[in-house]
Amino acid sequence: MKVRLLAFAYTAQQAGFSECVIESDATDTPRQLFQRAAPAVATEGLRVAVDCEYHDWDAAIGAASEVALIPPVSGG
Amino acid sequence: MKVRLLAFAYTAQQAGFSECVIESDATDTPRQLFQRAAPAVATEGLRVAVDCEYHDWDAAIGAASEVALIPPVSGG
Amino acid sequence: MTKSIEFSRARLVAPPMALPTLEIGACVEFYGIVRELEKGSLLKGLFYEAYETMAARQLERIFDSLRAAHPVQTVLFIHRLGWVPVGESSLFIRVLACHRGEALRFCGEAIDRMKADVPIWKVVAPSAR
Amino acid sequence: MTKSIEFSRARLVAPPMALPTLEIGACVEFYGIVRELEKGSLLKGLFYEAYETMAARQLERIFDSLRAAHPVQTVLFIHRLGWVPVGESSLFIRVLACHRGEALRFCGEAIDRMKADVPIWKVVAPSAR
């Protein structure tokens, strides 16, 4: 199973990508995925979204197709 | 001394004028002026303004030149 | 603070936005619109009347006093007078401030205080002024 | 409630106001404007980035949940993305409601919640997306 990882704002520089696709299992957690694909990212203070919904860093992603790093937002 | 009396919104119908000028003294109160010039006006629930400032019905108008009946306002 | 207070018998049009400084971060605009149903009766419009000199003076004072709690840079107030058909605006307020909180609170409280104390009236039949 | 959520790379322009019903009595518009001074540094502008699909979904949910407390008829949201020069608008929100209280509170709370949870970012140097 493939999952798309996204990194926004300054996390894209840390991750080295703003988007990439990796192999994953339904039991993978967002933390495991980013540890594998972007170990340089400091996840402290970041949220993570799975298929456009905020998600627990340590809960399995299931059949999701997109997992995104969400640094503190600052729209407006 | 002359003073201009103003009546706004529905009070103009009650008073029979929206504007009129009458003789007055500095010791006259708004209540006395309107009792004289417009006895049909029911002042209960109305405010009065003297030279564009809200005023006590029973306080003398002094050197004011304009006294206005202010029914409940409803702008907006 | 720049204050502009206007009464107009013409259809309300928002003037072009001009920023007094590059520190302005928020612009709040409010349009009060005449509704078809007012207190249960179906209207075609409303007639507005004001004691303009007093209204302008009261509004200035209200704006000055609100400014202490909610520092804003600019307030522009236009109230339409005369006949205003349903669906058209009777009131336009624009507030410019550095931050949204001030601008929104200033705008809301300005309207509340206008509705309490500023001599402007909706009238069903206009008086012969 | 009609919701319109848009991200735009063009200069923001308020769309013409269309009233969904003649019961609308209040229109609140909010413009968020890029300020010259942001956290002490002098800017020429800001770069905005969004996770558009998620942002739209979160905004829809926020608007739906605010509607329970503050019944409004229409909300129109446009956020500009990419480079926004100082003095230009990054955000436009229009809220139409029967009464001003609802419209003002809806608008204020929608912005608060956007700033807390909606994935949109000001970035100093844009990433290569």
Side-chain angles (χ1 to χ4, degrees):
Chain A
M1 162 186 152
K2 286 190 191 306
V3 68
R4 189 193 343 267
L5 302 186
L6 303 176
F8 288 93
Y10 72 83
T11 64
Q13 277 98 62
Q14 290 187 355
F17 61 82
S18 56
E19 193 170 328
C20 84
V21 175
I22 64 166
E23 282 297 324
S24 69
D25 284 324
T27 57
D28 279 334
T29 68
R31 192 181 305 281
Q32 290 167 337
L33 293 174
F34 281 100
Q35 266 164 0
R36 240 153 54 210
V41 170
T43 58
E44 191 147 335
L46 303 188
R47 288 189 278 185
V48 70
V50 170
D51 281 355
C52 292
E53 298 293 346
Y54 286 113
H55 199 86
D56 198 293
W57 274 105
D58 298 308
I61 62 164
S65 61
E66 203 167 271
V67 180
L69 282 176
I70 310 287
V73 302
S74 52
Chain B
M1 162 184 154
K2 285 189 190 307
V3 68
R4 190 196 339 269
L5 301 185
L6 302 175
F8 289 92
Y10 72 84
T11 64
Q13 277 98 63
Q14 290 186 357
F17 61 83
S18 56
E19 193 170 327
C20 85
V21 174
I22 63 167
E23 282 297 323
S24 69
D25 283 324
T27 56
D28 278 334
T29 68
R31 192 181 305 283
Q32 290 167 339
L33 293 174
F34 280 100
Q35 266 164 2
R36 242 152 54 210
V41 170
T43 57
E44 191 147 336
L46 303 188
R47 288 189 277 185
V48 72
V50 171
D51 281 353
C52 293
E53 298 293 345
Y54 285 114
H55 199 85
D56 197 293
W57 273 105
D58 297 308
I61 63 163
S65 62
E66 203 167 270
V67 180
L69 281 176
I70 310 287
V73 301
S74 53
Chain C
M1 179 171 64
T2 310
K3 291 167 290 193
S4 160
I5 295 167
E6 216 180 288
F7 295 93
S8 162
R9 274 161 180 85
R11 201 178 166 125
L12 292 194
V13 178
M17 199 194 301
L19 300 182
T21 76
L22 294 177
E23 287 313 290
I24 298 302
C27 169
V28 170
E29 296 188 343
F30 177 84
Y31 295 84
I33 300 162
V34 175
R35 303 169 65 207
E36 191 174 48
L37 260 178
E38 181 81 21
K39 290 172 187 155
S41 42
L42 214 60
L43 303 176
K44 289 205 183 320
L46 281 171
F47 201 92
Y48 283 89
E49 181 180 332
Y51 182 7
E52 292 187 43
T53 47
M54 178 172 171
R57 192 190 289 201
Q58 299 292 323
L59 284 166
E60 281 223 38
R61 186 170 309 156
I62 289 169
F63 296 158
D64 285 338
S65 92
L66 287 177
R67 184 199 185 188
H70 315 300
V72 308
Q73 308 307 307
T74 303
V75 54
L76 190 158
F77 174 102
I78 313 175
H79 204 299
R80 191 165 166 188
L81 298 180
W83 177 253
V84 184
V86 163
E88 293 191 12
S89 297
S90 50
L91 171 62
F92 174 74
I93 302 180
R94 174 185 290 153
V95 179
L96 301 179
C98 295
H99 304 287
R100 72 188 185 286
E102 281 106 78
L104 283 162
R105 285 189 294 269
F106 187 103
C107 183
E109 292 186 23
I111 301 169
D112 291 346
R113 292 180 62 173
M114 174 199 70
K115 286 188 171 265
D117 287 326
V118 175
I120 305 172
W121 298 271
K122 295 176 175 69
V123 281
V124 179
S127 59
R129 185 172 300 279
Chain D
M1 180 171 62
T2 310
K3 290 167 291 194
S4 159
I5 295 166
E6 216 180 287
F7 294 93
S8 162
R9 274 158 180 87
R11 202 178 165 124
L12 292 193
V13 178
M17 200 194 301
L19 299 181
T21 76
L22 293 178
E23 288 313 291
I24 299 301
C27 168
V28 170
E29 296 188 343
F30 177 84
Y31 294 85
I33 300 162
V34 176
R35 303 169 66 208
E36 193 175 45
L37 260 178
E38 181 81 21
K39 290 171 187 154
S41 42
L42 214 61
L43 303 177
K44 290 204 183 321
L46 280 171
F47 201 91
Y48 282 90
E49 182 180 331
Y51 182 8
E52 292 187 43
T53 47
M54 178 173 171
R57 194 191 288 199
Q58 300 291 325
L59 285 165
E60 281 223 39
R61 187 170 310 156
I62 288 169
F63 296 158
D64 285 337
S65 92
L66 287 177
R67 183 199 185 188
H70 314 300
V72 307
Q73 310 305 307
T74 301
V75 54
L76 190 157
F77 174 102
I78 313 176
H79 204 299
R80 190 164 166 190
L81 299 181
W83 177 252
V84 185
V86 164
E88 294 191 11
S89 298
S90 50
L91 171 63
F92 174 75
I93 301 180
R94 174 184 289 151
V95 179
L96 302 179
C98 296
H99 304 288
R100 72 188 184 286
E102 281 106 77
L104 283 162
R105 285 188 294 268
F106 187 102
C107 183
E109 292 187 22
I111 301 169
D112 291 346
R113 291 181 63 173
M114 175 200 70
K115 287 187 172 267
D117 287 327
V118 176
I120 305 172
W121 298 272
K122 297 176 173 68
V123 281
V124 178
S127 60
R129 184 173 300 278

